[in-house]
Amino acid sequence: MNVAGKHQPDLLERPASLLVPTWTKTGLALLYDEDTNNTYDIRLKLTKEMLTIQKQDVVCIGGGAHHLNHRTVVLRRQATGGLGLSIKGGAEHKVPVVISKIFKDQVADQTGMLFIGDAVLQVNGINVEKCTHEEVVHLLRTAGDEVTITVRYLREAPAFLKLPLGSPGPSSDQSSRASSPLFDSGLHLNGNSSNTAPSSPSSPSANEPKYEKRWLDAVSLPLSMARVSRHKAGSDKLRSNSFEVFALDGVCTNVLQFCTAAESTDWLQAISTNINDLTQESIKTANKFYSPDEQIIHMGWVCEHLHGSDANQIQNYKFLALKGSSLFILRGPPASASDWAQAEATFNLCEVLFKVHKLWIAEDCWIQMKLYPGLQQDCELRDNEPFCFSVLVGHGHSHCFSVELGTELALWEKAFQRAVFMEVQRVGSKTYMCSSQGKILCFTIDFESGFSCSESISKKVIWRYKFSQLKGSSDDGKTRVKLLFKNSESKQIEMKELEFANLTAVLHCIHSFIAAKVASVDPLFVNNQTITRKYMYNS
C-alpha cells in the first residue's frame, strides 16, 4: 500500500512536553477500509473532545443544482493538448475509471467543473461504469471534437488512483503497466502535452455552475472514554504506522494509516493524551460523590493478552480502574454503582503486584534516544512489541495487559504506586492466618512497627521485627515461606518458617508495605525505581 507523497500534518498546537495536553491538531492521512481493502485520502481534525474525519468532496458554490451529485461537462477538443486530462482504473481492475490528471490551462481545466478524483460515468451519453480502461480510452479518443462527459466525485476513491503522473507502478514493463490500474492514459488521450503552448482560457458564463473541492466532515468521534488500538482485530499483531480509534458509542475510524512511524506515533500520542485528559476530568467529577476512602485514582482502557488453545495470543480489551482499596477489571467504563458491582474481577490493592514487562522507548518518536543510548539497538529490533505490564494476584495467577505508548505505561505505574501507598496508609496493618510447627498463628504486617507473629487465641506476641530487620526470604512457590531477620542485639540471622493458604497474596502485601514505608521516608524512592519513571520525567 503506497502512501508516498503525503504531506506532513499541519500542527496547530504541539505539546511543550509529554505531560502537556495536545488540544488541537490537523493533518492528512489515509483511511484503510478492511472490508473493501482500499485506502482513501482523508483529513484529520483533532480537538480536546473530538476526532473528526473529513473527506474531500466537490460542492456547487453557485449557479447550479446543489442537490445533484453528478456533473455533465462539454469538452471541445484542442489540436494541441487534446482534452487536457488523464484517466486511471477500469472495470477489469474492479475500480472505476477516475480522472487522475488535469493539465493546467487546457480544456478540462478551463471548464472549472472537473477535478482529480472524478469518476467518469458517461461519455457522449454512453454509460461507461462497467467498461474497461481501454474501452473508455477508445470512446474518448473517437468521440469527436465535442465530448460530453458525466462525472461524479468519489469521496472514497482508492488512493492509488489519485497518484500523480510518473508514480511508479508494479512493473516497468510497458505491457504490464498498461494492464495496471496505476497506468495513466494521458499520453494516449492527449499526445505529449508537456511542450505544447496552452490555448487561451475561455471565460465561463456567469450562469454556469461553479464548483469547488472542499474537506467535509464525514465522521466525528467523541474522545471521552474512547480507546485506541494498533492491533489487528483478533490477533496479537501490530499494524505498521497505523491504528484505529473506537468511541464509547461504538463508532470507529476504520484504520488510520500514516507515511511514517514518527507521524503515526505523533497522532497516537496526541489522541491518547486528549483521551486521558478527558478521563481525568471524569475522575474528578465522579470523586465528588465518593468518600475519601473510595476515590478513583486512575482508570482507562487496556488490552488484555490471553493465550488461546492454538498458543496464539488473543486480544481482549478491558477497562481497568484503581478505586479505593481495590483494582477493578471491567468490560467498559462504569456509569453507575451497579457497574462497579458487576466487575469481572476485583482484587485488594495491597495483595497485587504491578510488574512492567517491556518498555521500548523507540515507540514514542520524539523521545531522544540519547537518554538511553544502550537500549537503542534493542529498541530498533523490537519496536513492534507492545508496552506490557502484569498484575500478579493471589495463588500465583496474573493478568497481562498492554497499552499503546510508554507514557501510558508510566501513568499506570505511577497510579498503581500511588494507590497502593494510599491503601497501606489507610489500613495501617494486615493480618493473615498461618501455621508454624503445627500451631495456628496470626502473622501481622504493620506500617508503623513492622512484622509480628502472635498466637491466634490469646493474641500473645511470639516475635516482632522492624521492616529494616528483614534481610531476605525464600519460598516453595506454593504455601511455605522462610523469612530471614537480623537480630538487633546479637546481629545474628534468625529464620522464621511459616505456611499460608494464599502465600502469593501475603508476599505481595509484604512488598506493598515495604515499598510504602520506604516511600514515606524517601518520597523520591518511587520516582527513581524504574526506567518507566525515568522515561516519563526526563522526557
Side-chain angles (χ1 to χ4, degrees):
M1 203 168 296
N2 196 330
V3 294
K6 291 292 174 191
H7 299 289
Q8 290 299 315
D10 178 19
L11 300 181
L12 299 185
E13 182 176 330
R14 176 66 181 268
S17 73
L18 292 179
L19 304 181
V20 178
T22 303
W23 299 114
T24 57
K25 179 181 175 71
T26 61
L28 300 180
L30 287 177
L31 187 68
Y32 175 61
D33 189 326
E34 291 182 311
D35 294 331
T36 63
N37 203 33
N38 282 327
T39 53
Y40 310 115
D41 294 313
I42 58 168
R43 184 174 183 262
L44 297 177
K45 183 171 67 174
L46 176 67
T47 63
K48 176 185 175 182
E49 298 181 344
M50 196 76 65
L51 175 66
T52 302
I53 295 177
Q54 297 179 320
K55 297 181 181 180
Q56 268 192 331
D57 207 345
V58 172
V59 296
C60 183
I61 58 175
H66 292 253
H67 65 281
L68 296 178
N69 62 356
H70 62 267
R71 286 156 278 132
T72 298
V73 185
V74 177
L75 301 176
R76 292 174 177 83
R77 194 186 307 273
Q78 293 178 335
T80 57
L83 301 177
L85 57 81
S86 297
I87 60 172
K88 290 180 182 176
E92 72 272 33
H93 306 296
K94 297 181 180 180
V95 294
V97 172
V98 175
I99 295 177
S100 57
K101 178 71 175 179
I102 293 178
F103 296 94
K104 185 174 176 58
D105 293 333
Q106 294 188 13
V107 178
D109 184 44
Q110 291 170 9
T111 66
M113 295 178 62
L114 295 176
F115 300 87
I116 294 175
D118 279 338
V120 181
L121 306 180
Q122 294 182 1
V123 176
N124 284 350
I126 301 173
N127 189 293
V128 297
E129 292 181 81
K130 296 182 180 180
C131 291
T132 66
H133 181 91
E134 289 301 326
E135 288 172 341
V136 178
V137 170
H138 178 73
L139 278 173
L140 289 172
R141 293 183 67 186
T142 60
D145 292 336
E146 188 171 283
V147 183
T148 301
I149 65 172
T150 300
V151 298
R152 181 183 68 245
Y153 186 77
L154 294 184
R155 296 179 69 185
E156 297 182 348
F160 69 82
L161 292 179
K162 300 182 187 179
L163 291 175
L165 283 170
S167 297
S171 172
S172 59
D173 178 71
Q174 186 64 31
S175 60
S176 298
R177 291 182 67 247
S179 64
S180 164
L182 283 174
F183 178 68
D184 197 293
S185 63
L187 186 61
H188 295 275
L189 281 177
N190 309 306
N192 189 351
S193 61
S194 60
N195 296 319
T196 59
S199 62
S200 300
S202 59
S203 300
S205 168
N207 295 325
E208 288 183 357
K210 298 178 177 61
Y211 292 90
E212 189 174 276
K213 251 187 187 181
R214 291 183 179 176
W215 288 105
L216 303 180
D217 292 353
V219 180
S220 293
L221 287 88
L223 294 179
S224 179
M225 298 300 172
R227 67 176 174 88
V228 182
S229 173
R230 290 183 301 149
H231 287 95
K232 293 183 178 179
S235 75
D236 64 339
K237 295 181 180 179
L238 296 178
R239 292 188 171 93
S240 176
N241 304 342
S242 56
F243 57 84
E244 290 181 88
V245 183
F246 298 84
L248 187 58
D249 60 6
V251 178
C252 67
T253 61
N254 284 328
V255 181
L256 303 179
Q257 191 174 45
F258 301 88
C259 299
T260 64
E263 190 179 349
S264 177
T265 303
D266 202 37
W267 273 99
L268 181 63
Q269 179 73 59
I271 295 170
S272 298
T273 300
N274 283 13
I275 291 174
N276 181 69
D277 189 62
L278 292 171
T279 302
Q280 296 306 312
E281 290 183 7
S282 298
I283 290 174
K284 290 179 181 178
T285 301
N287 280 341
K288 294 177 182 178
F289 303 96
Y290 294 122
S291 66
D293 293 342
E294 291 295 321
Q295 296 286 292
I296 302 172
I297 304 302
H298 190 61
M299 62 183 183
W301 288 101
V302 295
C303 182
E304 184 174 18
H305 297 257
L306 305 173
H307 289 280
S309 57
D310 58 352
N312 291 326
Q313 286 191 332
I314 302 171
Q315 308 305 314
N316 193 12
Y317 283 89
K318 296 297 176 66
F319 197 82
L320 226 59
L322 304 174
K323 179 178 180 291
S325 62
S326 302
L327 162 66
F328 292 84
I329 300 178
L330 305 112
R331 292 184 179 89
S336 63
S338 61
D339 290 337
W340 292 104
Q342 295 174 7
E344 291 186 358
T346 306
F347 303 101
N348 186 285
L349 282 171
C350 288
E351 297 178 351
V352 301
L353 185 65
F354 179 94
K355 180 182 178 182
V356 174
H357 273 202
K358 302 180 180 75
L359 178 63
W360 310 119
I361 63 177
E363 288 290 338
D364 282 354
C365 61
W366 61 75
I367 304 301
Q368 296 300 315
M369 291 303 300
K370 65 182 181 182
L371 294 176
Y372 301 100
L375 295 180
Q376 185 168 4
Q377 183 177 2
D378 201 15
C379 291
E380 291 174 348
L381 292 175
R382 312 180 98 179
D383 62 356
N384 63 339
E385 294 286 346
F387 296 93
C388 292
F389 64 90
S390 284
V391 178
L392 282 65
V393 297
H395 297 288
H397 298 152
S398 66
H399 293 264
C400 182
F401 303 103
S402 68
V403 289
E404 301 299 334
L405 294 165
T407 47
E408 292 183 75
L409 183 58
L411 286 173
W412 274 111
E413 185 180 34
K414 179 183 178 182
F416 262 94
Q417 291 166 341
R418 181 185 171 206
V420 170
F421 180 80
M422 292 173 62
E423 177 60 11
V424 168
Q425 289 196 316
R426 187 185 71 82
V427 299
S429 67
K430 294 276 287 185
T431 298
Y432 297 90
M433 299 297 293
C434 66
S435 63
S436 178
Q437 298 178 346
K439 296 180 180 180
I440 303 300
L441 305 174
C442 293
F443 176 72
T444 300
I445 313 167
D446 188 274
F447 185 73
E448 297 297 334
S449 59
F451 307 98
S452 64
C453 201
S454 59
E455 295 179 350
S456 60
I457 299 176
S458 66
K459 306 301 179 184
K460 179 182 177 181
V461 176
I462 301 174
W463 50 260
R464 188 188 305 274
Y465 296 96
K466 296 179 181 179
F467 286 109
S468 59
Q469 291 179 269
L470 180 63
K471 300 303 178 183
S473 67
S474 62
D475 63 85
D476 63 358
K478 298 178 181 178
T479 60
R480 296 182 180 181
V481 63
K482 295 179 181 179
L483 300 175
L484 304 179
F485 298 99
K486 185 176 183 180
N487 188 299
S488 57
E489 296 180 357
S490 66
K491 309 301 181 183
Q492 298 297 312
I493 297 296
E494 298 175 352
M495 183 185 72
K496 305 298 181 183
E497 186 171 354
L498 304 172
E499 189 169 354
F500 296 90
N502 189 348
L503 177 60
T504 306
V506 177
L507 294 178
H508 292 169
C509 189
I510 292 174
H511 178 276
S512 297
F513 271 73
I514 292 177
K517 190 69 176 180
V518 175
S520 67
V521 177
D522 179 12
L524 297 178
F525 169 78
V526 173
N527 291 346
N528 291 326
Q529 285 307 294
T530 68
I531 187 173
T532 310
R533 179 65 43 219
K534 295 176 183 178
Y535 163 80
M536 187 173 180
Y537 283 97
N538 288 339
S539 300

